[in-house]
Amino acid sequence: MYAKGNDMNLPSTLQQLGWQAFFQQQLNLQEFENAVIARVTAHHRSSYELMTVGGACSLMANPTLPQITIGDWLLLDTAGRFIRLLARKSLFKRKAAGSQLAEQLIAANVDTLIIVCSLNHDFNLSRIERYLTLAHEAGAEPLLVLTKMDLCSDVEAYLQQVKQLDPMLMVETVNALDISCSHILQPWCKAGSTLAVVGSSGVGKSTLVNTLTDNSEQKTAEVRSDDSKGRHTTTARSMHFIAAGAVVIDTPGMRELQLTDCDDGIRRTFADIESLARHCRFNDCQHFAEPGCAVQQAIAQGDLDARRLTNYQKLNAEQARNTASLQVRRAQARQFSKMVKSVKSLKTRKYID
C-alpha cells in the first residue's frame, strides 16, 4: 500500500506532515488508533497522491468523494479506502479560469500564504492586493516575499510602495538562489506549519521552493530580458517538505485569479478605504462622484492613491459578478438533482404498484 521515496526530507511524523491540534480535535480515540491519517500531496485527473507516516499511497478519484484538493487531510481505513475528509482550517479557491461557471479549489489547510513578487517589471501593487484578498478570505497569514533583490538598484523604493498597502504587512526581500533566504524565512517554516507559494511565472517561486527544501526538484527557467516575463515551469500544484519540519505547496503561475465569495477578504485588504467610507455623506456611496465622499476627498488631499480605489472597485465588482453567477449555477444544479430524485421515486412507485 505504501511506498517510501529517497527524499531525506520526507516526513516521518504527523507533525512534519503539518498535523495540528485543530485536526486532532476532530478525531475520536478509535479513529486515531485504528484509521490511517493521510494528507493530499497532489491531485491528478483520476487519482490523488497521499502521504502518511507510513509512506506514500494513492486514492482513486470517484464521484462519491467530496471535493478534495492538495493540503486536505483524509481518514482512510487500513485497506486504503476513504472514510472521511477532515474539516479545513483554511481554503484557497477561485472561479475556474475562462468562461466556465465553476469554483476551483487551490489548496487547503495553509497557515501562511507566501506571495512572491520580483523586483523588476513583474512588480504590481494591484496584483499583490488580489493575492492579499485571497489570503485574508482563506484565513491564512500573508507574507510578501520580494525576490531578485540582487538585481534591483533601489529596493527601498519598492518597499515604500508596499508599506502604503498595509503598514502591518509582513515583507521580506531575498535572492531566492541564496541559501540565506532559508534563514530569513525560518520563522514561518517551523514544524507543523504549512506554507503555499503563489505569484506570476518567472518571479522565482520554484527557485525559492528549491532553496527552502535544499534540492532542485522544481524546474526553473530564465525570464525574458525585455519584459521580465517568465515561462510556466511549474505546471501543477505540488507539496514539498522542509528539513525543519514545515510543508510548502508550490503553485503554477496563474494568469487568471478570478475572485468569488470574498467580501471579508476585500474589506480586510482595503481596510483604509472601508474606514474612510464610514465618513461618506451617503451610506451607499460608491466613491465615484457623489457629494460628500470621504474617499474621493482623501484622494484629492493625496492621502489615498487613486489606483488603490480603482482596484478596490474592480475587485468588488468582479467578486459580486462571479458569486452571483455561481449561485445561479448551484441553484440550477440543486433543481436538476431534485428532478432526478423525483423521477427515480416515481419509477420506483410504479414498479411497486
Side-chain angles (χ1 to χ4, degrees):
M1 176 181 172
Y2 304 110
K4 277 286 187 184
N6 296 321
D7 190 340
M8 61 187 300
N9 289 344
L10 282 180
S12 57
T13 67
L14 280 175
Q15 187 184 33
Q16 290 173 334
L17 267 172
W19 187 255
Q20 299 174 5
F22 176 86
F23 309 109
Q24 181 76 38
Q25 292 166 0
Q26 299 179 45
L27 305 183
N28 58 44
L29 183 60
Q30 184 178 3
E31 287 176 326
F32 186 71
E33 290 180 345
N34 299 320
V36 176
I37 301 170
R39 194 163 197 195
V40 180
T41 59
H43 178 197
H44 304 298
R45 186 167 302 216
S46 59
S47 66
Y48 300 95
E49 290 182 24
L50 313 177
M51 182 64 72
T52 74
V53 292
C57 60
S58 62
L59 177 70
M60 296 303 295
N62 69 74
T64 65
L65 294 177
Q67 197 172 8
I68 296 172
T69 189
I70 187 169
D72 271 328
W73 286 97
L74 310 181
L75 279 190
L76 311 175
D77 64 19
T78 53
R81 293 184 293 258
F82 176 83
I83 298 176
R84 67 185 175 95
L85 167 69
L86 297 190
R88 294 161 174 142
K89 185 179 180 182
S90 64
L91 177 64
F92 291 92
K93 58 186 179 179
R94 66 170 178 173
K95 176 188 170 293
S99 58
Q100 185 181 358
L101 283 179
E103 197 170 63
Q104 181 187 22
L105 305 188
I106 301 171
N109 301 314
V110 173
D111 299 299
T112 302
L113 184 70
I114 299 181
I115 303 165
V116 184
C117 182
S118 54
L119 295 167
N120 55 22
H121 295 87
D122 174 78
F123 186 84
N124 185 304
L125 291 174
S126 294
R127 188 187 304 126
I128 292 172
E129 288 167 342
R130 183 177 289 268
Y131 282 121
L132 288 174
T133 298
L134 190 71
H136 290 315
E137 187 65 36
E141 176 191 26
L143 169 63
L144 179 61
V145 174
L146 302 176
T147 59
K148 307 188 180 180
M149 62 176 293
D150 53 312
L151 303 177
C152 179
S153 59
D154 193 356
V155 174
E156 188 59 33
Y158 287 100
L159 289 175
Q160 288 301 320
Q161 293 183 62
V162 170
K163 288 176 183 176
Q164 293 177 9
L165 302 184
D166 180 358
M168 302 302 292
L169 176 63
M170 299 300 299
V171 184
E172 296 289 354
T173 55
V174 302
N175 169 9
L177 289 168
D178 191 337
I179 191 64
S180 66
C181 81
S182 295
H183 303 296
I184 294 172
L185 301 181
Q186 191 60 41
W188 292 273
C189 299
K190 295 176 181 177
S193 61
T194 298
L195 307 87
V197 183
V198 295
S200 304
S201 298
V203 297
K205 298 190 307 298
S206 296
T207 301
L208 182 64
V209 170
N210 286 341
T211 303
L212 288 173
T213 56
D214 195 23
N215 64 40
S216 56
E217 197 174 316
Q218 293 297 84
K219 293 180 180 178
T220 61
E222 294 293 325
V223 297
R224 298 197 302 252
S225 58
D226 56 343
D227 60 2
S228 303
K229 294 292 184 181
R231 303 179 183 89
H232 282 282
T233 52
T234 300
T235 57
R237 287 159 289 164
S238 55
M239 183 177 287
H240 309 270
F241 303 96
I242 300 174
V247 176
V248 58
I249 298 172
D250 192 11
T251 67
M254 289 178 277
R255 291 192 177 93
E256 272 192 69
L257 184 59
Q258 290 276 315
L259 302 178
T260 178
D261 291 317
C262 60
D263 279 330
D264 186 58
I266 291 176
R267 280 195 294 268
R268 292 185 60 186
T269 301
F270 297 91
D272 53 346
I273 295 178
E274 292 281 329
S275 178
L276 286 168
R278 288 194 283 270
H279 300 285
C280 290
R281 181 184 301 178
F282 303 110
N283 292 334
D284 60 348
C285 183
Q286 299 300 303
H287 320 305
F288 286 106
E290 297 92 334
C293 176
V295 176
Q296 287 293 345
Q297 183 180 355
I299 292 174
Q301 294 173 344
D303 298 327
L304 179 68
D305 187 356
R307 177 213 59 80
R308 187 160 166 79
L309 174 61
T310 299
N311 200 38
Y312 168 77
Q313 293 167 329
K314 175 184 176 181
L315 296 184
N316 265 312
E318 177 186 304
Q319 77 91 23
R321 181 178 63 253
N322 289 338
T323 300
S325 299
L326 287 170
Q327 286 174 344
V328 170
R329 176 65 182 268
R330 291 175 191 134
Q332 291 173 339
R334 285 194 297 269
Q335 261 189 330
F336 180 74
S337 179
K338 286 181 181 178
M339 183 188 72
V340 171
K341 288 179 181 178
S342 177
V343 170
K344 285 183 178 179
S345 177
L346 183 61
K347 286 183 177 179
T348 301
R349 286 200 299 271
K350 285 184 177 180
Y351 177 77
I352 294 174
D353 294 342

